[in-house]
Amino acid sequence: MLLHHHSSILQRLMLASSLRFRRFKYQYHYQCYCSCTNPSQAPVAFTAKTVCNESLLFRYLTKGWHHEARNLLLQSFSAGDLHARVVRWTSLLTNYTRKGHVFEARMLFDVMPHRNIVTCNAMLSGYLQSGMLDEARWFFESMPERNVVSWTAMLGGYADAGRVEDARRVFDVMPERNVVSWNAMVGGLVRNGDLEGARMVFEQTPCRNVVSWNVMIAGYAENGAMDEARALFDQMEFRNVITWTSMISGYCRAGNVEAAYGLFRTMPEKNVVSWTAMIGGFAWNGFYEEALLLFLQMSLSDSKPNGEETFISLAYACAGLSFPYLGRQLHAQLIVNGWKLDDYDGRLRRSLVRMYSVFGLMDYASNVLEGNLNNFDDQSLNSMINGYVQAGQLEKAQELFDTVPIRNKIAWTCMISGYLSAGQVFKACDLFDSMPDRDSIAWTSMISGYVQNELIAEAISLFGEMMAHGFSPLNGTFAVLFGAMGSVAYLDQGRQLHGMQVKTIYEYDLILENSLVSMYAKCGEIDDSYRIFSNMAYRDKISWNSMIMGLSDHGRASEALTVYETMLEFGLYPDTVTFLGVLTACAHAGLVNKGWELFNSMVNSYGLQPGFDHYISIINLLGRAGKVKDAEEFVLRLPVEPNHAIWGALVGVCGLSKTDADVASRATKRLLELDPLNAPGHVALCNIYAANDRHIEVTSLRKEMRIKGVRKAPGCSWILVKGRVHVFSSGDRLEPHVEDILLQI
């Protein structure tokens, strides 16, 4: 056994040595060929070796040595009959065109001793595949013989180049058509957006096959005409996996994921493309969890994931769910399976960069790009900058922004928004002023940043500047400004903006309408708010909550509760904001029993966890009804430790009746333990003591306030006149201000 083992090793070593020698010998002779300046000096010892001859042939063709190339063809491909040789030459020509060597392919065509119609069609296809349409047309017209393949190739070339009329002319004069020709005409019209013309040709096709139906269905699906696609789909007698997948992709593209998944479940046969289409449809429409679960189901089937398309969708889903551990496992799986080899267009790399940027794992995102600026395409740059901004690493975002040679509008806008979110308004302004090519999105981001930083007058002024520079406001621009007008109750400015919006933008969207409902409610025009709400074609939970809160704040409790009941009838489940609105309405109207019923429903029926705001609403509900001691008992039974806002609310309701001095004293004590300098608590307790003729306690408490330095913040009012905000505080001498304002009006 041992002798046999050594003998086997020796044989393998001898074989390897022989192979190395032959490889060296071929390399030597190839170098001799390449070093020849005169083809007649080229050695001919190994002309029977096909690999070497093909390399030498390519060199002859590149140099334009026709005679030598022709002789080499005759010498190297002498085996077999004439037909076999023509087949080999045609195969070599096709290989050249596929690799982009069209010039060498044409030279080979010219020096071929013999050709046939297949050779001519191969050369014609080579021109068309390389986009050389004029050369293809000249070659086509000079062909001594043309068959249906030639005509169909020319038709497809014109259609691919967008020259539909030329394609039609070729189609009309074709001496012979087959089903491939008809399908090529239908497909060409579909690709150029002429669905009506494609349908006419489709209906005229004398003998349609499954490809004919698939081309027409895919055309409808890709253009969002799913009703027409479904009608054809239902008419088909025989469908294949391509038919089903086209329909699934079309429904997903149109946002009808339910219909897509219904087809996916019933399709008789699935392949990796079908699974990937459905996974991608879930992911791109926001059904991230469903995308991941379907991938797990795919893993248990016979289909193996597509290294690019499948994992791009999965990376998007992991980012949407904020599952960093799962995202890293996905990346590890890709590395194990050699994902870099499949990522020929960089889409997979971009999806991973975006995923890690959403997670805030910026070191991982940078590692995917390998720190190479050449890998920073626009999408990766935007993802990285946005990731740094969201992670609060503005310095690194600025460093990357300054490093890359070319920055697009999205990168500029992202940096501006980042500084505004961090309250660094001056840096944002500097960037905005330096931005070379602003668009409406950049202007809107700047306006929104001003509003976020409570610079309302500056936001309005910038909006005027935006209009003066000729930029059309977006729906989002108006939505931001409507929100700003509502926050400071600038009704006149809000009405003017609304009038401008009506003249500028004719199509409402949900965010814009919600902002209008909220603005008019906050500005005191609850009827206008309800009118806009009633006319909305579609309402989401924000719409209902805004209306309920608006009616509640205006003391219209019965109407707020009616809107709440209507919301339930429409099948929408309330959230914590909804219950805050209805509880506040009950508190304003003194509906104690209804308030308790809603509070219990929130916890028991909908499983929602109350927050401090809900507890405060119940305290106000009981206190306004004169049940202060019940409110104190409610606070003492809370499942969480009461904070200063809870105790402050209890002190506040004690001040309503001014008779529960003991409760107020206990609540104020707990309040001041948490917030010793709380001025409203001191003042409320003083008022309660005074109302109960406990003047000694009042004097003592006021003395304590002076010692602590507790002072009640003065109330203030403001008015906007010609873009300038005038603020008036309690105790101001108003005469000079009034004179200035009157002069401006």
Side-chain angles (χ1 to χ4, degrees):
M1 290 292 294
L2 184 61
L3 180 62
H4 175 74
H5 175 70
H6 284 294
S7 174
S8 176
I9 294 176
L10 180 61
Q11 288 176 357
R12 281 180 290 189
L13 287 173
M14 292 175 65
L15 177 61
S17 176
S18 174
L19 290 173
R20 282 196 298 271
F21 172 74
R22 278 186 283 175
R23 198 158 47 238
F24 167 76
K25 184 166 63 173
Y26 293 154
Q27 290 174 353
Y28 168 75
H29 283 283
Y30 178 71
Q31 290 171 357
C32 292
Y33 284 130
C34 294
S35 63
C36 291
T37 57
N38 186 346
S40 62
Q41 299 176 357
V44 294
F46 294 94
T47 55
K49 301 299 180 183
T50 303
V51 174
C52 293
N53 282 324
E54 289 185 5
S55 302
L56 182 60
L57 176 64
F58 186 77
R59 177 176 172 78
Y60 284 167
L61 295 173
T62 304
K63 294 290 186 181
W65 295 341
H66 291 212
H67 179 72
E68 291 74 13
R70 184 183 178 88
N71 288 338
L72 190 58
L73 277 180
L74 292 171
Q75 293 174 7
S76 303
F77 300 94
S78 57
D81 58 11
L82 177 60
H83 175 72
R85 280 178 283 165
V86 172
V87 169
R88 293 182 65 189
W89 297 336
T90 303
S91 176
L92 187 60
L93 183 148
T94 302
N95 189 41
Y96 284 166
T97 58
R98 285 176 179 171
K99 294 181 178 179
H101 305 307
V102 183
F103 172 78
E104 287 78 9
R106 181 54 196 264
M107 292 283 293
L108 175 60
F109 179 85
D110 291 337
V111 301
M112 279 185 186
H114 304 281
R115 316 180 193 95
N116 59 19
I117 185 64
V118 178
T119 313
C120 294
N121 287 339
M123 190 66 242
L124 176 64
S125 298
Y127 278 132
L128 293 171
Q129 290 168 8
S130 301
M132 303 170 68
L133 194 57
D134 292 336
E135 290 81 355
R137 180 179 57 81
W138 177 86
F139 183 84
F140 174 79
E141 292 174 352
S142 65
M143 288 174 63
E145 179 187 0
R146 289 172 289 204
N147 60 10
V148 67
V149 176
S150 317
W151 287 91
T152 304
M154 203 64 216
L155 184 157
Y158 278 130
D160 290 340
R163 294 168 60 171
V164 181
E165 294 305 318
D166 289 331
R168 284 182 183 275
R169 278 191 287 270
V170 170
F171 182 75
D172 291 338
V173 300
M174 287 179 69
E176 176 190 1
R177 300 182 189 132
N178 59 15
V179 68
V180 178
S181 312
W182 287 93
N183 291 345
M185 192 66 240
V186 173
L189 292 169
V190 165
R191 289 194 298 276
N192 287 276
D194 187 3
L195 291 179
E196 185 177 350
R199 182 60 182 266
M200 291 178 62
V201 177
F202 172 80
E203 296 293 347
Q204 296 169 5
T205 304
C207 184
R208 295 191 287 259
N209 59 10
V210 68
V211 176
S212 313
W213 291 86
N214 286 345
V215 169
M216 200 64 238
I217 287 174
Y220 280 133
E222 290 171 3
N223 287 275
M226 291 310 300
D227 291 339
E228 292 82 353
R230 186 58 187 257
L232 283 180
F233 178 82
D234 292 338
Q235 293 176 28
M236 284 186 72
E237 185 176 356
F238 301 104
R239 310 180 186 110
N240 61 13
V241 68
I242 297 175
T243 318
W244 290 87
T245 305
S246 296
M247 289 296 299
I248 290 169
S249 298
Y251 275 128
C252 289
R253 195 179 293 110
N256 192 348
V257 183
E258 184 177 355
Y261 189 55
L263 283 178
F264 180 80
R265 286 183 300 173
T266 57
M267 65 186 299
E269 177 190 359
K270 301 180 180 71
N271 61 11
V272 63
V273 180
S274 313
W275 285 96
T276 301
M278 195 64 247
I279 291 171
F282 276 139
W284 305 124
N285 285 281
F287 296 91
Y288 306 123
E289 185 175 351
E290 288 79 359
L292 294 175
L293 291 174
L294 189 62
F295 172 70
L296 293 178
Q297 187 179 343
M298 175 186 178
S299 302
L300 299 175
S301 69
D302 295 333
S303 298
K304 300 300 179 184
N306 182 323
E308 181 181 345
E309 294 297 333
T310 310
F311 287 106
I312 289 173
S313 300
L314 292 175
Y316 195 86
C318 290
L321 289 171
S322 297
F323 284 175
Y325 295 110
L326 187 59
R328 283 183 288 188
Q329 290 178 8
L330 171 70
H331 190 186
Q333 186 69 23
L334 289 169
I335 294 174
V336 168
N337 289 281
W339 66 274
K340 290 185 179 180
L341 301 177
D342 298 329
D343 193 32
Y344 63 91
D345 57 359
R347 293 174 61 234
L348 185 56
R349 182 182 66 238
R350 289 194 291 271
S351 67
L352 289 172
V353 171
R354 179 190 176 277
M355 180 186 75
Y356 282 128
S357 298
V358 170
F359 295 154
L361 301 174
M362 303 312 299
D363 291 339
Y364 286 82
S366 181
N367 288 336
V368 171
L369 294 170
E370 298 175 346
N372 188 351
L373 288 178
N374 294 327
N375 291 334
F376 273 89
D377 55 86
D378 282 353
Q379 292 185 26
S380 299
L381 172 64
N382 297 338
S383 296
M384 290 284 291
I385 290 178
N386 188 57
Y388 280 128
V389 167
Q390 296 300 320
Q393 303 178 31
L394 285 174
E395 293 182 359
K396 288 190 175 181
Q398 185 69 59
E399 181 181 350
L400 176 60
F401 181 80
D402 293 335
T403 302
V404 294
I406 300 176
R407 295 161 294 202
N408 57 21
K409 295 177 183 177
I410 298 177
W412 282 89
T413 305
C414 187
M415 285 300 306
I416 291 169
S417 299
Y419 279 123
L420 288 169
S421 298
Q424 301 184 35
V425 180
F426 290 113
K427 286 189 176 181
C429 289
D430 289 340
L431 267 180
F432 183 75
D433 292 338
S434 304
M435 190 172 177
D437 186 18
R438 302 172 190 161
D439 58 7
S440 296
I441 298 176
W443 284 92
T444 301
S445 297
M446 197 69 203
I447 292 170
S448 177
Y450 275 144
V451 172
Q452 289 173 10
N453 288 275
E454 300 181 4
L455 300 171
I456 308 301
E458 288 79 356
I460 297 172
S461 175
L462 189 63
F463 174 74
E465 189 178 344
M466 172 184 178
M467 298 289 288
H469 280 79
F471 289 92
S472 299
L474 308 172
N475 278 4
T477 316
F478 283 111
V480 167
L481 289 172
F482 289 149
M485 298 303 101
S487 66
V488 291
Y490 288 168
L491 178 60
D492 291 340
Q493 286 279 1
R495 286 194 186 280
Q496 292 176 24
L497 281 171
H498 189 189
M500 184 182 297
Q501 175 262 314
V502 171
K503 296 177 181 178
T504 306
I505 299 175
Y506 300 99
E507 293 186 4
Y508 282 82
D509 63 17
L510 185 60
I511 297 176
L512 184 61
E513 289 184 308
N514 285 343
S515 64
L516 279 169
V517 171
S518 178
M519 181 195 75
Y520 279 116
K522 291 178 179 178
C523 290
E525 295 294 329
I526 192 63
D527 291 331
D528 288 340
S529 176
Y530 189 74
R531 176 179 51 81
I532 294 171
F533 173 80
S534 300
N535 292 329
M536 291 175 67
Y538 173 77
R539 307 181 188 100
D540 64 357
K541 199 169 292 185
I542 296 175
S543 315
W544 292 95
N545 289 345
S546 298
M547 196 68 253
I548 291 171
M549 289 296 296
L551 292 168
S552 173
D553 291 339
H554 284 77
R556 296 164 71 162
S558 60
E559 294 174 66
L561 293 174
T562 300
V563 172
Y564 169 74
E565 296 293 339
T566 307
M567 173 184 173
L568 298 182
E569 292 174 2
F570 274 92
L572 273 76
Y573 285 96
D575 58 13
T576 55
V577 178
T578 314
F579 279 106
L580 181 61
V582 291
L583 289 175
T584 303
C586 291
H588 287 167
L591 303 174
V592 178
N593 293 334
K594 184 64 176 178
W596 272 115
E597 177 188 335
L598 289 168
F599 183 79
N600 292 328
S601 173
M602 173 185 178
V603 178
N604 300 325
S605 300
Y606 295 100
L608 298 174
Q609 179 63 42
F612 286 116
D613 289 338
H614 301 92
Y615 296 140
I616 292 173
S617 294
I618 294 296
I619 294 169
N620 290 331
L621 174 70
L622 295 172
R624 290 171 184 265
K627 300 182 177 183
V628 176
K629 291 185 178 180
D630 291 344
E632 183 184 25
E633 291 179 5
F634 173 76
V635 171
L636 296 175
R637 292 197 310 267
L638 287 179
V640 295
E641 185 68 25
N643 63 2
H644 69 280
I646 296 289
W647 292 114
L650 184 56
V651 172
V653 296
C654 291
L656 294 175
S657 63
K658 300 182 181 180
T659 58
D660 295 284
D662 294 337
V663 176
S665 179
R666 290 191 294 269
T668 305
K669 179 181 178 182
R670 299 295 298 273
L671 171 63
L672 298 181
E673 288 176 357
L674 297 173
D675 186 8
L677 300 180
N678 187 285
H682 285 86
V683 173
L685 188 58
C686 279
N687 293 337
I688 293 171
Y689 284 156
N692 288 273
D693 296 327
R694 297 169 61 172
H695 301 295
I696 297 176
E697 287 90 339
V698 171
T699 304
S700 175
L701 188 57
R702 291 186 181 279
K703 181 179 180 181
E704 182 182 346
M705 290 176 64
R706 286 193 297 272
I707 294 173
K708 291 181 178 179
V710 176
R711 297 189 61 185
K712 182 180 178 181
C716 68
S717 301
W718 61 87
I719 186 172
L720 180 69
V721 178
K722 294 186 177 181
R724 182 183 173 189
V725 179
H726 299 271
V727 181
F728 305 95
S729 298
S730 176
D732 283 348
R733 297 180 63 85
L734 301 182
E735 291 82 357
H737 296 283
V738 172
E739 292 177 1
D740 292 340
I741 294 170
L742 290 174
L743 289 174
Q744 296 180 48
I745 296 177

